[in-house]
Structure formats: structure tokens, C-alpha cells
Amino acid sequence: MTATTPTTDLAVQATGVGKVFPTKAGDVAALTEVELEVKAGEFVSLIGPSGCGKSTLLRLIADLDQASSGELTIFGKPARRARIDQDYGIAFQQAGLLPWRTVAANIGLPLELHKVGKAERDARVAELAELVGLTDFVDRYPDQLSGGMQQRVAIARSLAARPKLLLMDEPFGALDEMTREYLQGELTRIAAETGAAVVFVTHSIPEAVFLSDRVVVMSPRPGRITDVIETGLGEVRDEALRESPAYFEKVTAVREALHGTKVERANER
């Protein structure tokens, strides 16, 4: 395989990335030969069956684990350098808020850890609280918030250091459908306003299509990319979009790509 030249025009560039986990029963290949490019400012969702390595790939991008093979760069840098430079923010399914800190203190935690002055920190927290619609709740504690509000705090916290990339691992997975759809709309607005690229892991086909510029379909373990669906749904992501023929067409396309092997086998019978 010919090595590619990392470029800062790409938020994420994965070339031949693989991940093997050693176990008592032998090595387990979680990912194999992953080729992925995410442009700056682009929203990309990863979707595939449970255990296909979606979250593993996100962890490699976030430098929470290291690839066993291949090359992975974030804005042209090794993942570790990108983490140190705070080039990305990250949000998980569980908000992970510190219960003894207020909303404002949770949002401002990354800035506090990086010794940002109080005046600048307070201004940034106020800006982010407004961005996620929590200005009236900055003095509340996590146990005084709904699950959806806690996730908004987590998103705000992930944006505190003005990252150029947002990594999200099923952040709305535990929420009810109404809250989930509301936060999907909010996330597309926030991504557009901040200009951050987003890599988003989900099990939901409709969610992936609604949010994304491209949906990356992964195979069962060992995970590899089997298809990439361009949504082409434009910049406006609202409730009307969910009822549009174009949206349903792309949901069908992703579903067929995700279950392609089963469809092909059925046609062969």
C-alpha cells in the first residue's frame, strides 16, 4: 500500500488502520484496513452492527487507544499531538458530569485544567451556555437537570476549548425519542455555527441520515468500511426534512448498504 501524505485540510485521515486486542483465547481483530477521510467542517456518522468497531475507531481518533497498524492523523498531526493541542472535543452516551460542580463549573472544566484565566473562562462559559440554551441553568447541579439538559452540558463542555473536531459516541442513545430528535436539531445548528467537523457513532439509521453529510457503513467484526452514503440533504436540517422523500430515500439507501450481504443472499435463493 502506498503511504498517503497527511493534510491539514482533513480533520481525520485513516489509512489502513487496524486494531487487534489480545485475549486469553487469542487475538481478536476489531478493525481491519480502515480507510477514512473526514473533511474540515464535515459531519460524518459511523454506523454498523454491534461489535463492528465503531466506538473502537472513535477511541483511536481520540487517542484513548492506539492502532495496531496503519496511519491515523488529525489535522495532519498524530492523534496524541492532536489530543495535547485540544484539536478535538469528545462526548459519550453518558454525560459524565461531575455531580459536585454546577453547570457552569462543568462546562468550564477543560479551560480550568488548561489554566485559562477566570475572566476569559467565565466569558466562554456564558457563550457556550447560551449556545446550548442553558443560560438560566448555569448555577444548577447535574441532578437538577433532565437527561437531555445534561447532554447539552456535555456538548458545551466538549466545545469549551474551541476544538476543530467533535467526537461523539452515541450521545443521545439513552434519551427518549422526542428529546433525541430535539437534540439532533440542536447539534446540527451547533456544528454549523462553530464550523467544527463531527464524527458521530450511532446505531440509528434515521439519526445518521438526518445529521450527516456522509454516512459511513461498517461491516461486522473485524470492522471495515463497506460503503459511504452521501446524503446531499443540504444545510437546513429541520422537522420538515424528516418527512421529505429525499430523506426517506437516503434512509433506505443506508439500510440497504448496512444489510447488503443479507439482501444479496436473499436474491441468490
Side-chain angles (χ1 to χ4, degrees), residues 58-74:
L58 200 77
R59 288 178 61 83
L60 297 183
I61 296 169
D63 193 44
L64 298 176
D65 210 337
Q66 285 73 50
S68 303
S69 58
E71 283 187 89
L72 180 63
T73 58
I74 316 299

Side-chain angles (χ1 to χ4, degrees), residues 4 9 26 31 46 64 68 85 93 95 110 118 122 129 132 139-140 145 148 150 159 166-167 199 202 207 222 227 261:
T4 57
D9 293 334
L31 294 170
L46 307 179
L64 298 176
S68 303
D85 292 346
Q93 183 169 351
K118 186 177 186 305
D122 289 349
V132 299
D139 295 325
R140 304 282 183 90
L145 306 177
Q150 289 182 24
L159 293 167
L166 188 57
L167 306 175
V199 179
T202 181
E207 179 171 74
D227 209 341
T261 303

Side-chain angles (χ1 to χ4, degrees), residues 2-268:
T2 302
T4 57
T5 302
T7 171
T8 55
D9 293 334
L10 296 174
V12 178
Q13 186 173 29
T15 307
V17 168
K19 178 62 181 177
V20 176
F21 291 101
T23 71
K24 291 181 179 179
D27 290 347
V28 174
L31 294 170
T32 182
E33 291 297 319
V34 170
E35 305 280 336
L36 176 65
E37 292 184 350
V38 179
K39 301 180 184 71
E42 185 180 27
F43 200 123
V44 171
S45 286
L46 307 179
I47 194 165
S50 295
C52 74
K54 303 182 297 294
S55 294
T56 297
L57 179 55
L58 200 77
R59 288 178 61 83
L60 297 183
I61 296 169
D63 193 44
L64 298 176
D65 210 337
Q66 285 73 50
S68 303
S69 58
E71 283 187 89
L72 180 63
T73 58
I74 316 299
F75 295 104
K77 308 173 187 177
R80 183 175 183 275
R81 182 73 253 169
R83 174 173 57 81
I84 293 170
D85 292 346
Q86 299 186 76
D87 285 334
Y88 65 83
I90 189 164
F92 297 100
Q93 183 169 351
Q94 300 301 322
L97 305 181
L98 300 179
W100 60 87
R101 294 177 72 104
T102 64
V103 166
N106 268 288
I107 293 173
L109 181 59
L111 302 175
E112 190 175 326
L113 293 174
H114 286 86
K115 312 296 185 186
V116 175
K118 186 177 186 305
E120 182 181 349
R121 189 168 72 240
D122 289 349
R124 180 61 175 158
V125 167
E127 178 184 353
L128 288 167
E130 182 177 2
L131 183 68
V132 299
L134 290 174
T135 299
D136 295 336
F137 297 88
V138 290
D139 295 325
R140 304 282 183 90
Y141 288 87
D143 64 358
Q144 297 173 306
L145 306 177
S146 68
M149 293 171 76
Q150 289 182 24
Q151 281 302 98
R152 280 191 271 166
V153 177
I155 293 170
R157 182 181 59 191
S158 70
L159 293 167
R162 304 181 192 276
K164 298 178 288 184
L165 172 65
L166 188 57
L167 306 175
M168 309 190 81
D169 193 353
E170 296 197 77
F172 309 144
L175 303 177
D176 65 86
E177 194 66 20
M178 184 177 295
T179 303
R180 184 172 184 152
E181 288 189 357
Y182 171 74
L183 288 181
Q184 288 167 4
E186 286 294 283
L187 179 57
T188 60
R189 176 185 63 82
I190 290 166
E193 289 185 12
T194 61
V198 182
V199 179
F200 188 96
V201 169
T202 181
H203 280 99
S204 168
I205 296 172
E207 179 171 74
V209 172
F210 181 82
L211 291 171
S212 307
D213 298 308
R214 290 188 298 144
V215 180
V216 172
V217 180
M218 297 182 66
S219 71
R221 192 175 66 199
R224 65 188 187 284
I225 294 172
T226 56
D227 209 341
V228 179
I229 309 295
E230 301 263 359
T231 63
L233 296 175
E235 296 182 3
V236 178
R237 305 298 170 102
D238 56 17
E239 293 310 302
L241 177 62
R242 298 186 197 273
E243 303 299 325
S244 70
Y247 171 73
F248 284 112
E249 180 183 331
K250 293 302 180 179
V251 167
T252 299
V254 174
R255 182 173 289 112
E256 289 178 348
L258 188 58
H259 301 291
T261 303
K262 294 179 181 179
V263 171
E264 288 168 8
R265 286 176 180 170
N267 289 338
E268 288 171 359

